[in-house]
Amino acid sequence: MDPMKQLIALFLCLCLMAGIVPVVAENTAVTHEITSASYPLYVGTSNFGDVSLCFLDGANDMPYIEATEMHGVLASIMNSVTGNFNYTINTEGSVVTLTRNNLKTPGDVDDGAYAAFDFDKDTITFSDPDLFCWKENVTTVLDTTAIPTFNANGEPSILQKIDKGNLDRYGDSLVVRCGDYGIDLILQDGKYLVPLQTMVDFILAPARGQNLFFNGQILYLAQTISLGDEQYYAAPTGQRSAELTEFGYKELCMMLDYCYGLKEAHNIGHFETLLHSVTFDRVLKETDPAGADYAIARLIFDYLDDGHSAFLAPSYLAGPVKYDTSFGTSVTKMFAESERYAAARKVYYPDGIPGYEEVGNTAYITFDSFFTPNVNDMEAYYREEDVNAFPDNDTIGLIMKAHAQITRENSPIENVVLDLSLNEGGMSDTAVFVLAWLLGE
């Protein structure tokens, strides 16, 4: 007999000998009062119809979305441009599975990628999150471009994409263990309820680079919120409910643990440990939205300090308040170095540094950001007959102008230097163009 079964049998015998009747614990799952309401979904100022949200126990600032409604929202938002794929939904017992179907190329690598929501185990299992959330306008997992790369005739415009990337790797599954963070996927009265923010953090944001903001009056689809977004901040301010406060802290820890790419580089084991060690957990667990917002801003600027993460706007409950936060050591040092480089540059180029310059057999190309003014009209680069007409702050135009000079007849150029000493970053598409030009591909 199995040792564990022997142990259980012995325990039962001892209980019976002692006159004790053992009690088997029943399922003690909490029964919630579920209410629902519909809210208009806005993209900019356009109304894209209503979305039904659910709430538990009167906490009307803490929205859940039912699985079938989630399926409809994701299907419409994530495939809003090409129509090349869709999602199907299947429910079996306590598991709801969303499956991606490639309509353009059935059988391709993303066809059949799935996300399974287990409402008993409180987990979300992705067969491959990269494939399930594959953006509609890219051709490989490593494709970071967003600008249209084809003209009206379907021909490559500026960038020619490959069908497959030889560096792409597929098949890495991911299990998001919501239950380990105290986040429940609710199965009750035939409803399968997922916290709206959990859906956004692990599906919508990775796939679309956008968020779904809720302010108690509307849903607002946008990449981010700014202090000037009147629609979002039209809702009344106030305290957070205890339910939203508790969930917000847990979701923040879970989202950062799973999604923050520099976690290991910062030697962060778990974000809850970090938040506790810097005492932000206490503030984040209070119902005051302004205090929680400020703690998150401090976390980003003081402790993540990576130059890319930013706190852009507070919760609608706090209102459009601008927080004064200092930068961390790394970003402060970067700014100091930039000031030093800028001062040195001004000594030699008091009237401004040219975007293209030749010194002997070396060409110097200088630009301080990756930018193109022609995001929606890349054909403009082909319509312009004189490449010298492109301004130096247009990265793609500058590279085309530099290329014409470097490759001109009897050119003395043997070396090319890209001066990025004061480059602040910018659009990934233009960076891809520069790399493609350097590699000759």
Side-chain angles (χ1 to χ4, degrees), residues 109 128 130-131 134 138-143 162-172:
V109 290
D128 185 322
D130 289 330
L131 296 181
W134 196 316
V138 303
T139 58
T140 75
V141 168
L142 298 177
D143 186 353
I162 59 176
D163 291 333
K164 294 289 182 295
N166 60 356
L167 295 179
D168 285 355
R169 297 293 183 268
Y170 312 111
D172 289 336

Side-chain angles (χ1 to χ4, degrees), residues 215 217-218 229-237 316:
N215 70 351
Q217 297 179 345
I218 65 170
D229 279 315
E230 296 181 358
Q231 282 181 301
Y232 179 69
Y233 287 113
T237 59
Y316 74 95

Side-chain angles (χ1 to χ4, degrees), residues 240-256:
R240 300 185 293 171
S241 69
E243 291 82 358
L244 177 61
T245 301
E246 180 181 1
F247 168 80
Y249 178 74
K250 295 174 178 178
E251 178 74 14
L252 176 67
C253 292
M254 181 173 73
M255 181 273 292
L256 289 172

Side-chain angles (χ1 to χ4, degrees), residues 410-421:
N410 298 321
S411 170
I413 301 303
E414 298 178 2
N415 311 295
V416 176
V417 175
L418 290 184
D419 181 359
L420 305 179
S421 57

Side-chain angles (χ1 to χ4, degrees), residues 292-412:
D293 287 340
Y294 186 67
I296 293 174
R298 288 282 311 281
L299 170 69
I300 292 170
F301 289 119
D302 292 358
Y303 294 95
L304 299 187
D305 189 25
D306 56 30
H308 281 83
S309 302
F311 183 87
L312 299 178
S315 161
Y316 74 95
L317 290 170
V321 180
K322 184 176 181 180
Y323 296 108
D324 292 325
T325 55
S326 59
F327 291 103
T329 303
S330 296
V331 174
T332 300
K333 181 179 179 181
M334 179 185 71
F335 286 154
E337 291 294 302
S338 295
E339 291 177 0
R340 186 167 66 86
Y341 294 154
R345 177 189 286 183
K346 193 170 184 178
V347 171
Y348 294 95
Y349 297 96
D351 297 325
I353 193 168
Y356 179 81
E357 183 180 26
E358 295 182 1
V359 179
N361 63 354
T362 301
Y364 291 85
I365 306 172
T366 303
F367 49 98
D368 294 340
S369 67
F370 290 92
F371 172 74
T372 171
N374 301 314
V375 173
N376 297 314
D377 183 21
M378 304 306 287
E379 289 293 298
Y381 290 107
Y382 296 101
R383 291 195 299 271
E384 179 57 63
E385 295 181 359
D386 182 10
V387 294
N388 292 312
F390 293 124
D392 285 351
N393 67 347
D394 178 350
T395 308
I396 293 178
L398 173 61
I399 293 298
M400 295 177 73
K401 179 165 55 177
H403 179 80
Q405 291 294 321
I406 293 168
T407 59
R408 71 185 185 273
E409 187 175 357
N410 298 321
S411 170

Side-chain angles (χ1 to χ4, degrees), residues 47-323:
N47 188 328
F48 273 63
D50 289 348
V51 175
S52 178
L53 298 178
C54 295
F55 305 89
L56 306 182
D57 307 318
N60 293 327
D61 58 355
M62 173 56 218
Y64 289 77
I65 188 166
E66 212 278 327
T68 54
E69 188 77 358
M70 176 175 65
H71 169 242
V73 169
L74 293 175
S76 61
I77 292 178
M78 291 175 63
N79 192 28
S80 61
V81 178
T82 63
N84 289 337
F85 66 90
N86 66 13
Y87 291 93
T88 53
I89 184 170
N90 178 65
T91 302
E92 186 173 343
S94 63
V95 179
V96 174
T97 303
L98 296 175
T99 303
R100 181 187 176 105
N101 305 291
N102 189 321
L103 304 179
K104 181 180 180 181
T105 314
D108 209 344
V109 290
D110 64 317
D111 195 24
Y114 66 82
F117 296 75
D118 191 318
F119 288 78
D120 274 350
K121 298 179 180 178
D122 292 326
T123 59
I124 308 172
T125 300
F126 293 89
S127 58
D128 185 322
D130 289 330
L131 296 181
F132 183 82
C133 297
W134 196 316
K135 295 180 181 179
E136 59 187 343
N137 62 338
V138 303
T139 58
T140 75
V141 168
L142 298 177
D143 186 353
T144 62
T145 58
I147 57 176
T149 55
F150 297 94
N151 60 22
N153 299 323
E155 301 165 336
S157 175
I158 292 296
L159 294 174
Q160 183 171 353
K161 297 187 178 184
I162 59 176
D163 291 333
K164 294 289 182 295
N166 60 356
L167 295 179
D168 285 355
R169 297 293 183 268
Y170 312 111
D172 289 336
S173 62
L174 172 68
V175 180
V176 180
R177 302 188 182 279
C178 305
D180 289 356
Y181 293 82
I183 296 174
D184 294 329
L185 306 181
I186 306 296
L187 172 54
Q188 182 184 314
D189 303 332
K191 296 180 182 293
Y192 296 80
L193 304 179
V194 178
L196 180 67
Q197 191 60 48
T198 303
M199 179 201 78
V200 171
D201 286 340
F202 289 94
I203 296 181
L204 186 59
R208 291 277 301 189
Q210 292 180 305
N211 294 281
L212 200 55
F213 299 95
F214 175 69
N215 70 351
Q217 297 179 345
I218 65 170
L219 283 164
Y220 190 50
L221 181 68
Q223 186 176 28
T224 186
I225 291 291
S226 69
L227 295 176
D229 279 315
E230 296 181 358
Q231 282 181 301
Y232 179 69
Y233 287 113
T237 59
Q239 296 290 295
R240 300 185 293 171
S241 69
E243 291 82 358
L244 177 61
T245 301
E246 180 181 1
F247 168 80
Y249 178 74
K250 295 174 178 178
E251 178 74 14
L252 176 67
C253 292
M254 181 173 73
M255 181 273 292
L256 289 172
D257 275 352
Y258 278 95
C259 301
Y260 185 59
L262 296 176
K263 181 182 170 186
E264 292 184 2
H266 285 262
N267 295 316
I268 299 172
H270 296 283
F271 269 88
E272 185 169 19
T273 304
L274 172 61
L275 292 171
H276 178 70
S277 67
V278 298
T279 71
F280 288 170
D281 59 335
R282 177 182 58 81
V283 180
L284 289 168
K285 291 177 180 179
E286 295 176 352
T287 58
D288 175 28
D293 287 340
Y294 186 67
I296 293 174
R298 288 282 311 281
L299 170 69
I300 292 170
F301 289 119
D302 292 358
Y303 294 95
L304 299 187
D305 189 25
D306 56 30
H308 281 83
S309 302
F311 183 87
L312 299 178
S315 161
Y316 74 95
L317 290 170
V321 180
K322 184 176 181 180
Y323 296 108

